[in-house]
Amino acid sequence: MSDAAALPGQPRGGVLSGPATLRTVNVLAPNASAMTLDGTNTWIVAEPGSDLAVVIDPGPLDETHLRAVIGTVERAGRRVALTLLTHGHADHAEGAERFAELTRTKVRALDAALRLGDEGLGAGDVIATGGLELRVVPTPGHTADSLSFHLPADGAVLTGDTVLGRGTSMVAHPDGRLGDYLDSLRRLRSLTVDDGVHTVLPGHGPVLEDAQGALEFYLAHRAHRLAQVETAVESGRRVPSDVVAHVYADVDRSLWPAAELSVRAQLEYLTEHGLI
């Protein structure tokens, strides 16, 4: 068994940019950091034989990256027909307006402030472009406006920041809420059980070959962290920064600000449920 196969979700090794499934290609944005891992994954999705493509999360406002995405589409003999956003964080959405200008496409998102055009996105919506079918799956929690996109033909789901290809995501309190996030993870897990989803195409990091394993790991990890936070509070640590220092002592300190957002969401959840 390879090291990758032993990790939660069985992350795919090798180069991140390039084809991932029959219908998807990733163009990695040059914005690597502790928060964005290798950079933002900009996904190009198209039905084989179609001359139309959908782009999900154009990424940061980086002209070279945006033009690289367009070039990848054009070299495949296609044109960009539509732009979609998983959520509004800048590393996913900042370049959307410029990308729409370059491609003369509309931008669809859950948050009306991010849209370019009249159509938004919501539960039950199906994106049908050039024979492609993408189903909109609301997955709030990381942010209130987070969406995932189910690609049934490839047994895949594009998860934005709800599930990452490496490590775990944060709940961006106060916009993100832990209860919503747990519900979203369960919703995604149901796709692996009931709808044949086996592959996660994340917003950052490598493709995950074991979607169900990844979702089960995420749920177990959240339960473990929540129990740690509850124990920390019971021992007298009530200031979020103190909880972070205790519970996330094994995490790189550069990630502590993000961890504190998750801790605040966890404290809110525990308070709402009468557990502290």
Side-chain angles (χ1 to χ4, degrees), residues 107-164:
V107 176
R108 295 182 64 180
L110 178 61
D111 186 346
L114 300 171
R115 301 173 194 163
L116 293 175
D118 297 330
E119 290 186 284
L121 292 170
D125 286 351
V126 177
I127 309 301
T129 302
L132 179 73
E133 180 183 306
L134 280 170
R135 301 175 183 173
V136 178
V137 183
T139 47
H142 170 68
T143 61
D145 68 329
S146 287
L147 299 171
S148 295
F149 298 98
H150 177 200
L151 178 57
D154 282 356
V157 61
L158 299 105
T159 55
D161 281 358
T162 300
V163 177
L164 304 179

Side-chain angles (χ1 to χ4, degrees), residues 5 15 20 66 124-125 140 157 170 177 179 205 208 210-212 242:
V15 178
L66 299 179
D125 286 351
V157 61
M170 70 169 179
R177 294 174 57 84
L208 298 177
D210 176 15
Q212 185 171 331
D242 291 342

Side-chain angles (χ1 to χ4, degrees), residues 9-13 16 18-21 24 26 41 43 164-165 198-202 204-210:
Q10 296 182 15
R12 183 182 299 175
L16 295 180
T21 67
T24 62
N26 180 34
N41 294 333
W43 290 102
L164 304 179
H198 48 72
T199 301
V200 171
L201 306 174
H204 302 279
V207 171
L208 298 177
E209 305 280 11
D210 176 15

Side-chain angles (χ1 to χ4, degrees), residues 43-243:
W43 290 102
I44 300 168
V45 191
E47 191 67 18
S50 173
D51 63 351
L52 302 178
V54 173
V55 169
I56 298 174
D57 290 350
L61 183 54
D62 182 298
E63 189 80 7
T64 300
H65 172 64
L66 299 179
R67 291 187 180 275
V69 175
I70 296 169
T72 302
V73 172
E74 291 179 344
R75 284 192 295 275
R78 299 185 171 108
R79 66 176 177 85
V80 179
L82 181 64
T83 303
L84 305 177
L85 297 177
T86 61
H87 65 297
H89 280 168
D91 56 313
H92 293 257
E94 184 185 37
E97 184 173 355
R98 175 58 177 158
F99 189 73
E101 179 183 344
L102 291 170
T103 58
R104 299 180 182 179
T105 58
K106 295 179 179 179
V107 176
R108 295 182 64 180
L110 178 61
D111 186 346
L114 300 171
R115 301 173 194 163
L116 293 175
D118 297 330
E119 290 186 284
L121 292 170
D125 286 351
V126 177
I127 309 301
T129 302
L132 179 73
E133 180 183 306
L134 280 170
R135 301 175 183 173
V136 178
V137 183
T139 47
H142 170 68
T143 61
D145 68 329
S146 287
L147 299 171
S148 295
F149 298 98
H150 177 200
L151 178 57
D154 282 356
V157 61
L158 299 105
T159 55
D161 281 358
T162 300
V163 177
L164 304 179
R166 186 169 64 250
T168 56
S169 188
M170 70 169 179
V171 178
H173 181 271
D175 181 48
R177 294 174 57 84
L178 181 58
D180 291 341
Y181 187 63
L182 294 173
D183 287 344
S184 293
L185 293 177
R186 296 184 189 106
R187 187 173 300 119
L188 290 174
R189 186 185 180 282
S190 74
L191 293 180
T192 73
V193 175
D194 302 327
D195 295 278
V197 167
H198 48 72
T199 301
V200 171
L201 306 174
H204 302 279
V207 171
L208 298 177
E209 305 280 11
D210 176 15
Q212 185 171 331
L215 269 302
E216 289 176 349
F217 169 76
Y218 262 63
L219 284 163
H221 173 79
R222 283 295 164 190
H224 178 63
R225 284 297 195 205
L226 192 62
Q228 287 180 308
V229 170
E230 185 176 3
T231 299
V233 172
E234 289 172 348
S235 68
R237 296 176 176 87
R238 295 187 173 273
V239 177
S241 59
D242 291 342
V243 175

